[in-house]
Amino acid sequence: RRAMSVHGEHWGTEMNHILDYLAHTGSVLRRKGSPARLEENLERWVRDLGGGHALYEPETPLDSRGLKPWRTPRGSFEALKTVGELVEESKRMHHCVSSYAGLAVKGQSVIAHGEIEGKHLTVELTHVRTTGTYVLQQAAGIQNRDLTKNEKKVLQEWLVEINKRGI
């Protein structure tokens, strides 16, 4: 079974780009709006990786809420430390995580890069101050690929570990 493709991308990836664009820009689809104009704006936004990072210098630190690197034979995760690393993550992973720069600088989102079985993924967590725990918001592979069962299992192990340590 082949996945539907739009502009050479998997349909789900294209929809994610559209939804991310609408959410992050505050744009609204209008009944009489031009699909060509939406496509043009979307392509510019995706090409610029969401633009959220443009407000910050690359060396601007991200507030990772004290999250420490985690490495095991099964996988590894490490919080991104600067806006520059966030932009590189967007480029490497072909998704719009750099549009979360403002949230990550303020510590409202903690963005981490993971590797499991040689596959790379990006993770967004929030930190609950009252309990000192981290909550998974989203995780995706390259081009917003869904995680495999094993990747989800290792991700869950990491979440249990970081929440047990209270870091």
Side-chain angles (χ1 to χ4, degrees):
R1 188 178 109 170
R2 288 193 57 171
M4 183 186 292
S5 176
V6 177
H7 301 298
E9 292 189 53
H10 183 274
W11 174 249
T13 300
E14 184 76 6
M15 281 304 289
N16 282 335
H17 287 321
I18 292 169
L19 294 173
D20 285 344
Y21 168 75
L22 294 172
H24 290 283
T25 64
S27 295
V28 177
L29 291 178
R30 304 213 187 285
R31 187 173 203 161
K32 294 185 180 188
S34 163
R37 186 173 193 95
L38 172 62
E39 182 177 28
E40 177 184 308
N41 290 338
L42 173 63
E43 286 177 2
R44 184 181 316 110
W45 186 79
V46 169
R47 185 178 58 246
D48 295 341
L49 298 170
H53 64 279
L55 302 173
Y56 303 96
E57 295 296 322
E59 61 275 1
T60 303
L62 303 180
D63 185 348
S64 63
R65 299 289 172 194
L67 187 64
K68 305 275 191 268
W70 184 76
R71 288 174 177 51
T72 70
R74 293 176 45 77
S76 64
F77 292 93
E78 186 167 352
L80 303 180
K81 297 172 189 68
T82 66
V83 169
E85 287 182 9
L86 189 65
V87 171
E88 288 306 311
E89 183 78 358
S90 267
K91 290 177 182 176
R92 174 179 49 232
M93 300 297 288
H94 302 280
H95 55 51
C96 69
V97 72
S98 67
S99 66
Y100 291 80
L103 295 172
V105 166
K106 296 174 191 166
Q108 294 172 333
S109 285
V110 176
I111 308 296
H113 178 82
E115 185 174 346
I116 300 170
E117 298 175 336
K119 294 180 182 173
H120 298 270
L121 53 139
T122 305
V123 178
E124 179 195 10
L125 306 171
T126 54
H127 184 255
V128 181
R129 292 176 196 232
T130 55
T131 61
T133 58
Y134 294 91
V135 177
L136 177 66
Q137 295 303 312
Q138 58 182 322
I142 292 176
Q143 295 182 328
N144 290 322
R145 170 187 63 78
D146 289 335
L147 303 186
T148 66
K149 285 183 183 181
N150 188 57
E151 288 170 329
K152 289 176 184 176
K153 184 176 179 181
V154 175
L155 176 59
Q156 184 61 38
E157 289 173 15
W158 176 54
L159 289 170
V160 167
E161 182 64 26
I162 63 175
N163 284 324
K164 183 173 24 174
R165 291 191 286 175
I167 52 175

